[in-house]
Amino acid sequence: MLYFVGLGLFDEKDVSVKGLEVIKNANKVYVEFYTSRLMGADKEKMEDMYGREIHVLDRPQVEQDPWWLEEAKEIDIAFLTGGDTMVSTTHVDIRLRAMEKGIETRLIHGSSIVSAICGLTGLQNYRFGKAATIPHPYTSTRGNTIISETPYDTILRNRQMGLHTAVFLDIDMNKGYMTVNQGIDLLLQVDEKRGENLIKGSIAVGIANAGSEKPIVKADFAENLKIYDFGSPLHIVAIPADLHFVEAESLVKLAGAPGSILEVEDKN
């Protein structure tokens, strides 16, 4: 049996009771930290809390050569991931590979940043469209710095349909964890390149350390968030479309948005 266990948002204590039971009873426990990780815990804290030795898998061992799947044919394996276990398409792929090998699978869900965004900001979950991810810029063969415009296009399409956008920020082994500041700056650069004002002058929301005792949640005009101190990662951004008056009030009271957005919503 292969168990997929979502560990939740921030530290080793976020795991569900059901998930903890699976971890304690499994014959072997694996974890991957590259799609997401618990910023309030490390491998040692997790092992102390769960009472088990945990084997860390790198990216190739998950995506390219998941040799450890063969073990699940004979014994119970717990595969741990940050957040909810099936948010990443990588984990869906692993489950499909296991099923092709005749391995039975079971999901133990964990709290997810997708729902946490709504709880922390007051933005309504049914009003979110397709999510986007901002990758780190890269250098082309000609030496030019390339900024992906795909997340910008996703925000544009969602905005046209009156939908909010959850914007995930890149995690790269070499370039590190992208911050709200970096993500907003990249969107503003695309804004300027296109001569549009999709991002500049619009309300954006930055969130840091969701699930911790003191998460940082700040809503402001995007250009102001570019210089706001969100502290340590993990970070995520939400770009709202037109706001319902309850959403606007929530952003003011829960995320410190400028009160002027209430006046705008009153006119709509």
Side-chain angles (χ1 to χ4, degrees):
M1 173 79 80
L2 175 60
Y3 292 90
F4 292 83
V5 182
L7 296 177
L9 293 170
F10 185 71
D11 62 25
E12 72 279 8
K13 297 179 181 179
D14 280 346
V15 68
S16 67
V17 173
K18 186 181 294 184
L20 184 58
E21 289 178 347
V22 167
I23 294 170
K24 287 183 175 294
N25 292 326
N27 297 104
K28 208 165 184 179
V29 182
Y30 292 99
V31 67
E32 65 88 355
F33 288 136
Y34 74 88
T35 59
S36 183
R37 68 179 305 151
L38 304 180
M39 300 307 292
D42 53 24
K43 177 176 177 288
E44 288 70 30
K45 285 185 177 181
M46 292 167 62
E47 289 180 331
D48 288 343
M49 172 73 182
Y50 307 152
R52 296 301 307 277
E53 180 183 7
I54 298 175
H55 305 275
V56 179
L57 298 170
D58 60 26
R59 188 166 192 163
Q61 291 173 323
V62 175
E63 294 186 348
Q64 299 171 20
D65 181 27
W67 49 265
W68 49 276
L69 280 179
E70 295 295 328
E71 297 177 338
K73 291 181 177 180
E74 305 295 334
I75 61 176
D76 288 340
I77 299 294
F79 176 59
L80 315 184
T81 63
D84 183 43
T85 184
M86 284 293 141
V87 169
S88 172
T89 54
T90 295
H91 306 149
V92 177
D93 179 65
I94 285 293
R95 189 183 187 196
L96 294 177
R97 291 193 191 197
M99 293 174 68
E100 289 173 358
K101 293 177 178 291
I103 299 169
E104 187 177 355
T105 64
R106 183 180 173 194
L107 308 183
I108 310 297
H109 294 285
S111 53
S112 169
I113 189 61
V114 175
S115 56
I117 290 173
C118 302
L120 290 169
T121 65
L123 297 174
Q124 297 302 299
N125 65 337
Y126 69 88
R127 295 201 58 213
F128 276 83
K130 180 181 177 181
T133 299
I134 301 178
H136 283 285
Y138 66 94
T139 303
S140 70
T141 54
R142 296 183 178 181
N144 299 320
T145 298
I146 305 298
I147 297 174
S148 173
E149 299 186 20
T150 300
Y152 188 95
D153 289 330
T154 299
I155 295 167
L156 176 60
R157 287 193 296 270
N158 283 342
R159 179 82 58 85
Q160 290 169 342
M161 294 185 288
L163 300 174
H164 310 322
T165 308
V167 184
F168 293 86
L169 304 173
D170 199 7
I171 298 175
D172 185 273
M173 293 179 61
N174 298 315
K175 298 179 180 179
Y177 301 94
M178 184 180 290
T179 65
V180 170
N181 318 86
Q182 292 170 319
I184 291 292
D185 180 58
L186 292 170
L187 291 175
L188 288 170
Q189 288 187 55
V190 178
D191 227 16
E192 184 176 0
K193 175 184 175 182
R194 294 192 178 185
E196 300 178 11
N197 286 315
L198 177 68
I199 305 300
K200 185 178 181 181
S202 295
I203 291 293
V205 190
I207 299 171
N209 288 320
S212 69
E213 292 185 4
K214 294 183 178 180
I216 296 175
V217 185
K218 179 60 180 175
D220 205 338
F221 296 106
E223 54 269 32
N224 295 335
L225 290 189
K226 181 179 170 181
I227 59 174
Y228 189 82
D229 183 7
F230 284 91
S232 60
L234 294 172
H235 295 181
I236 194 167
V237 171
I239 305 292
D242 292 337
L243 297 165
H244 183 274
F245 70 90
V246 174
E247 292 179 310
E249 182 180 4
S250 296
L251 288 183
V252 171
K253 293 182 177 180
L254 300 178
S260 58
I261 69 170
L262 295 173
E263 299 173 10
V264 173
E265 296 310 312
D266 285 341
K267 295 178 182 178
N268 292 337

